[in-house]
Amino acid sequence: MEINLFDLEKLIDRSLREDIGTGDLTTNSIVAPDATTYGYIMAKEGGVVAGLQIAEMIFCRFDPAFEFKALVRDGDRVRPGSILAEIAGRARAILAGERLALNFLQHMSGIATRTAGLVSLVEGSPARIVDTRKTTPGLRAIEKYAVKAGGGYNHRFGLYDGVLIKDNHIKVAGGIGPAVKSARLGSPHTVRIEVEVEDLAGVREALSAGADIIMLDNMAPEEMQEAVKLIAGRVLVEASGGISEGNIRAAAAAGVDLISVGALTHSVKSLDICLDLHMVKTVRN
Amino acid sequence: MEINLFDLEKLIDRSLREDIGTGDLTTNSIVAPDATTYGYIMAKEGGVVAGLQIAEMIFCRFDPAFEFKALVRDGDRVRPGSILAEIAGRARAILAGERLALNFLQHMSGIATRTAGLVSLVEGSPARIVDTRKTTPGLRAIEKYAVKAGGGYNHRFGLYDGVLIKDNHIKVAGGIGPAVKSARLGSPHTVRIEVEVEDLAGVREALSAGADIIMLDNMAPEEMQEAVKLIAGRVLVEASGGISEGNIRAAAAAGVDLISVGALTHSVKSLDICLDLHMVKTVRN
Amino acid sequence: MEINLFDLEKLIDRSLREDIGTGDLTTNSIVAPDATTYGYIMAKEGGVVAGLQIAEMIFCRFDPAFEFKALVRDGDRVRPGSILAEIAGRARAILAGERLALNFLQHMSGIATRTAGLVSLVEGSPARIVDTRKTTPGLRAIEKYAVKAGGGYNHRFGLYDGVLIKDNHIKVAGGIGPAVKSARLGSPHTVRIEVEVEDLAGVREALSAGADIIMLDNMAPEEMQEAVKLIAGRVLVEASGGISEGNIRAAAAAGVDLISVGALTHSVKSLDICLDLHMVKTVRN
Amino acid sequence: MEINLFDLEKLIDRSLREDIGTGDLTTNSIVAPDATTYGYIMAKEGGVVAGLQIAEMIFCRFDPAFEFKALVRDGDRVRPGSILAEIAGRARAILAGERLALNFLQHMSGIATRTAGLVSLVEGSPARIVDTRKTTPGLRAIEKYAVKAGGGYNHRFGLYDGVLIKDNHIKVAGGIGPAVKSARLGSPHTVRIEVEVEDLAGVREALSAGADIIMLDNMAPEEMQEAVKLIAGRVLVEASGGISEGNIRAAAAAGVDLISVGALTHSVKSLDICLDLHMVKTVRN
Amino acid sequence: MEINLFDLEKLIDRSLREDIGTGDLTTNSIVAPDATTYGYIMAKEGGVVAGLQIAEMIFCRFDPAFEFKALVRDGDRVRPGSILAEIAGRARAILAGERLALNFLQHMSGIATRTAGLVSLVEGSPARIVDTRKTTPGLRAIEKYAVKAGGGYNHRFGLYDGVLIKDNHIKVAGGIGPAVKSARLGSPHTVRIEVEVEDLAGVREALSAGADIIMLDNMAPEEMQEAVKLIAGRVLVEASGGISEGNIRAAAAAGVDLISVGALTHSVKSLDICLDLHMVKTVRN
Amino acid sequence: MEINLFDLEKLIDRSLREDIGTGDLTTNSIVAPDATTYGYIMAKEGGVVAGLQIAEMIFCRFDPAFEFKALVRDGDRVRPGSILAEIAGRARAILAGERLALNFLQHMSGIATRTAGLVSLVEGSPARIVDTRKTTPGLRAIEKYAVKAGGGYNHRFGLYDGVLIKDNHIKVAGGIGPAVKSARLGSPHTVRIEVEVEDLAGVREALSAGADIIMLDNMAPEEMQEAVKLIAGRVLVEASGGISEGNIRAAAAAGVDLISVGALTHSVKSLDICLDLHMVKTVRN
């Protein structure tokens, strides 16, 4: 997985502490420390999988010798009933880690699945589906990873690695021109300047101010087409605002380079995935 | 807010670092440190609000003198166009904190809104709507808070503060009886023992094993009714599994005490909320 | 050990930093990095042992190949002169880790030993000896573990996983009845409500308020007997306050289910345990 | 208080999280957020007080406007029934913080009281009572502070700020001479070299090796006297090992400069201190 | 200051712990807690100042009421003997914080001073002086801030917010073309692609591969001129490698847009700055 | 290495996060996860090496199977072109870790080299070269380690493990006598008391006050000689202030025991060291 491992380990730490706290009362009372068992993780509905490595890391926290045999890979499309992984190890590890592992898998696969659906809708056009900063606090890295697993692309990670001049910035700066000029001066030369505009006048202003990317905010398809014609390939064009399954084809048809979709991460329907035990074998170590 | 403030501060810290990292390139380039401005936070669709205090805390991180005047309270139902809060302070604070504040508000209000919808569906019955452990990793405290804001109740927080003997525990323990016995011995006397069962035979076993709460997992309404009759008020009864807007009335009508709904937190549709600036005034300090 | 490993590792981290800081001046000056040695850990007085795994973890922090061969297990009763463990590894690991390992072992074994003494005094009665929240700040998990090693049981872990309505809560709530009602509404259904009472009137109030557990605070044995008779098995009964070796039999004889003893953890006499080196062998790696 | 405030804040953080976790179920259910009350902290037995500032800091975490009016100061001797502090503030702050504040106060006052007792036994002699590294893991700073509050002095804080060559170091080094030489070379010139010896031969060796301090380990009073005579003021002399109320006068009479007592911190009997509410006043903010 | 305050607070925390640990033995022994004093911070040699806010934050950690009256601002050029700030507050705060405050001020002012020297050498040319990733581990944010205080500009902050394809990447990718193509696909559209080249052939390859910025590594001035002519303003040009006071004018004269200088941060000569007390006034609170 | 491993791991963590953040955009885009390669680390100028273990630890963070074969050891003097280590492992590990590993190696080797130069200048005299607290914030441990690698010795680590009474302390205390007396009372008996003086009168005062070490601050060589004569071996003597290559022989010739040099760590010129890849082999795992 391409997520920074340091941050991933910390995220898992935090999540485990949140769920397990001073210990799993039920499992610790009922299951002997050295009992082992095995089972599988299965998709109960169809979709695109993401998060298998996190699931594996969680079980291995409880049992370093845990066996997690993934049968699919992140980004794979699976059908209802598909086995995603076979697992074997300490029964305590499985029972204590199950919920958290599924919470991650279901959330990330939900994002990947919806992304893949949107990507397939614009197939054939050059437009890329990209995410936004409307992510769940604390989960941005894994949510952006899930977008890529679904065939999408990532926008800037946060406020520190890209410049996006929005409506409110323009108000404060007193216009697109001064805003772009200040941003160029104040940010590294390695970063592009993107400007959000709401109409064709804005497009013209952004072009003459020297923007590198123009974001068309909440424009109707016809207006987008005109904007794209006006820009004529000189800078990248991003469609944004209220994009969903219903209107994404029109946005792509308008000729934009990028379509950003906040709902990919702000309104996630988790993919239904379960964990079942085959049977139990208890081995004394 | 009843969330542990220590954890809330840490959550905000983490989320701010995630989004802002080494600094907001756009805002720091464009906006003078001492420029001030004011605006408002508005609901663009109707729903139940949750998370106002977190939003306020976020802006105050950037500007200790920030004014955040909430016009509604967490748990209030608002209409489209309702102003939730009027805000005033450093322009940098508003621009850098806006997205994160909205991410929290939208997510939490989304949960509160759906909870309130389910609660209203069972109005008149004694059944409580409760949450589950199917929460977003790292956000359990605020998601459980949002459930309460929507009129729901909380189940145990994690694995450490309640005993819930599920299918896989019963398999490993070799039956409901030995599982309950071990749990009673191994957990504090301050905690109730809940057992998940799938049929009436399970209900009988759980009763004779001395369970304090019985969870009816994925039962049809008629079976639930029989189970409730069998239990006859001796222990609490919880309905669980696949509950949604379509079948929750039937569950309530069956006479259960509690109805737990995973989707409250695992599949959240965020409530649409925005932040707008009125106009800009720049004051040199 | 049943303590959450994440927390245990952090506790050891903190304790090592506290003692070792920027490095063990004496050992680093005197002992070659690759010198190895071996020795043993011995009880100098009789008692019940607890904490062996923590001791092992400490030495392994300095030397991952450290050999720690425990000859007894936590909860075992040992006689003066008993060898608890044979150890072998880097001399630096033994010399730098010795004090901290012994500090844990001595403290935890002191708790286990006193607990075992009280447990033996009530042998034959059904009463369980339980701990309280009067623990050493930062060490609650390992002190509660030591209580179990000594044959005792654990009360709630903290304020978040159990409800105990005490004198001051009752004053603020304006009576036992309203206090229990509020607590029932405000806490998960998975948690029992315990009420502290000081006399038989309190017992009656608590019963009629629907308490799940009644704590008899500082009652004389005869009053406890009457309370137990009055309660008649309807709810659990806990004796508390000023219990010591001198009066614990009387409390047990009164028929209570639980006897909580703050002194188990607030006034610990450590068990005398030492570490000795057999001889030294120096091997160049 | 002379303890590093950074570390003190962290210790209080950790301790509060340990006890309160996701929130005080009882208090949050029963007490309104804005209810206020007042009361006092009282010694139920006589002794020397330590830890008042920590108690104050704990309550202020819950209520920044909390009033904590200390009537005595750390190091003061109090009688049974003495009021240590009057307190007023949010009822939730008092009820949630009470146990932790008392746990600190009782533990630290227990140490101060025992130290003061030993100090009074050697009154008139020049010997100082000092602590050891046999402290409770995580609490060394506050335990050493309590020793000073009781009239004692501190030994080195840990392994990094002083050199103490003990039996096992001497074995590994092959004698006192080479051990002292290595230590001198390997440690900053700002640190004194202390050597532990068990008999007069050891004293002679340590003197000729150039030790700055000699620790007489477990010596009988007569042997101590001879050692002191032999050393003749050239270096500091510390008595150590098995010192208690019964034999400390003899150690002091032998003429040593320092007497170190592990039991000051490894076997603490907490001082009995309680918190009571006067009455309750509820004010709506 | 434009540095993320969260990170700055953490940096100060770490640095204070490093220096002060369990407490300032000298100051705590000698100076009463409530003694106050006042003094000033003075440049002993001429240069450009940076870091005043950090110095202020350090003293305020010890004494929230500390008065730090800066007489100059970061980025100002000062002469030998210039007073940078007048200070007043607890004597303990000044004595314990002095060294750390000066360590920051001297280091950052050293960087600002050298940057300003280089900037003045290229005055009149459009070339910007920029920093590199050759910073002191842990201090990147404040070192980059100091570069700006000296009139320089910042390059990307780290590996995550910019793409710079260097020699070793090209080797691994098998050429500039495939490297740029992969980078374009794998990084957000908000980021520019920079390529390091060593000769004119490299320049041509980079241009045809579609690089956004070309870094001329260790080129002689004449070769740089040819490169600039070849590039003809189509992309940004950065000179890098071995730039110092001796050759920076030639680089600027070659017409590059940016000149990056590793020595700005990897070989810092601190600016000589001292803190003196005027006199002492002791006030009992 | 003798640095506390806990702190070293944390330092590397922090430094990696600083540089890599959410991921190395360039390397992750261009290099396959399983591609391997090999190369070497080479000194481009002569000097004394320090920091090899840190470099190794950094690469192993990215690739636990990384091979780092050091050809020299910390403290070795190398010539321009010397290979310091051969390395082999994942190409991503080398490319992402290169800069950070070199930043450490270059900085620490720079310190070791300058220290060794000063040490060689006083060869033959008994004077030790020691460091000061004028270190880079956050790097004290590794900078002090580098001083030892260069043949120097360490002064106290911070304010908590040694007493150094400076000019400002004396002002506040009202003289050397009271300052020493307070310090003796307030610090552990294991610590020596050092006093900074500026003239012979100060030396006399310090001697009669019972100082253990006298620091001669900014004295001319002749005055140092007189001071040494006056002290006559009764206590240690340290020369300090403005010591450089030009005057260090004179200081040593004056007969002092210790010479402290702030510039060792406050003005570091990094040693030029590079990393090159031999060629690339790509192996699919």
Side-chain angles (χ1 to χ4, degrees), chain E residues 5 25 29 56 62 64 79 84 91 95 101 109 111 123 147 185 187 191 198 221 240:
Chain E
L5 270 181
L25 287 181
S29 300
E56 180 175 5
F62 295 96
R79 284 187 293 189
L84 308 185
L95 291 167
S109 300
I111 292 172
E123 222 175 271
V147 166
L185 202 72
S187 54
V191 158
E198 281 161 15
S240 183

Side-chain angles (χ1 to χ4, degrees), chain F residues 41-160:
Chain F
I41 295 174
M42 187 181 74
K44 296 175 75 173
E45 58 181 324
V48 173
V49 174
L52 287 164
Q53 188 188 344
I54 297 184
E56 179 174 8
M57 288 168 75
I58 288 168
F59 292 116
C60 290
R61 282 295 181 88
F62 294 95
D63 177 3
F66 200 85
E67 290 170 46
F68 185 97
K69 189 179 165 194
L71 303 185
V72 299
R73 289 195 298 187
D74 281 0
D76 283 357
R77 178 169 287 281
V78 299
R79 286 187 292 189
S82 298
I83 304 299
L84 308 185
E86 290 171 352
I87 58 177
R90 304 261 161 158
R92 283 189 171 186
I94 294 180
L95 291 168
E98 169 184 357
R99 182 72 266 137
L100 184 60
L102 291 180
N103 282 354
F104 273 112
L105 261 180
Q106 295 188 155
H107 185 77
M108 293 172 72
S109 300
I111 292 172
T113 300
R114 186 160 190 202
T115 305
L118 289 170
V119 167
S120 71
L121 288 174
V122 302
E123 222 175 273
S125 92
R128 291 180 175 188
I129 307 303
V130 298
D131 48 37
T132 67
R133 284 171 50 240
K134 297 181 180 177
T135 56
T136 314
L139 301 187
R140 187 166 290 169
I142 64 164
E143 292 187 343
K144 282 182 166 271
Y145 169 84
V147 166
K148 288 173 88 169
Y153 289 82
N154 295 153
H155 209 295
R156 62 175 176 170
F157 195 90
L159 293 170
Y160 57 91

Side-chain angles (χ1 to χ4, degrees), chain B residues 2-4 6-7 10 157 160-161, chain D residues 16-17 20-23 28 61 92:
Chain B
E2 306 212 344
I3 297 171
N4 182 327
F6 314 127
D7 291 335
K10 277 208 156 179
F157 195 91
Y160 57 92
D161 66 338
Chain D
L16 282 173
R17 281 173 200 281
I20 295 179
T22 47
N28 289 349
R61 284 294 181 87
R92 283 190 172 184

Side-chain angles (χ1 to χ4, degrees), chain E residues 34-48:
Chain E
D34 51 3
T36 60
T37 189
Y38 57 105
Y40 54 88
I41 296 175
M42 187 182 74
K44 296 175 76 172
E45 58 180 325
V48 173

Side-chain angles (χ1 to χ4, degrees), chain B residues 172-204:
Chain B
V172 174
I176 290 176
V180 171
K181 196 173 164 189
S182 298
R184 192 70 79 193
L185 201 72
S187 55
H189 61 278
T190 52
V191 158
R192 284 179 173 151
I193 309 288
E194 179 163 5
V195 178
E196 181 190 85
V197 302
E198 283 162 13
D199 51 28
L200 295 177
V203 172
R204 282 187 202 97

Side-chain angles (χ1 to χ4, degrees), chain A residues 1-4 6-7 10 157 160-161, chain F residues 13 16-17 20-23 28 61 92:
Chain A
M1 206 148 106
E2 305 211 347
I3 298 172
N4 183 327
F6 314 128
D7 291 335
K10 276 208 158 180
F157 195 90
Y160 57 92
D161 66 338
Chain F
D13 264 8
L16 282 173
R17 280 172 201 280
I20 295 178
T22 46
N28 288 349
R61 282 295 181 88
R92 283 189 171 186

Side-chain angles (χ1 to χ4, degrees), chain C residues 61-103:
Chain C
R61 283 295 179 88
F62 295 95
D63 177 4
F66 200 85
E67 291 170 46
F68 186 97
K69 189 178 163 194
L71 304 186
V72 299
R73 289 195 299 187
D74 281 0
D76 283 356
R77 179 168 287 281
V78 299
R79 285 188 291 189
S82 298
I83 303 299
L84 308 184
E86 290 171 354
I87 58 177
R90 304 261 161 159
R92 283 190 170 184
I94 294 180
L95 291 168
E98 169 185 356
R99 182 74 264 136
L100 184 60
L102 291 181
N103 283 352

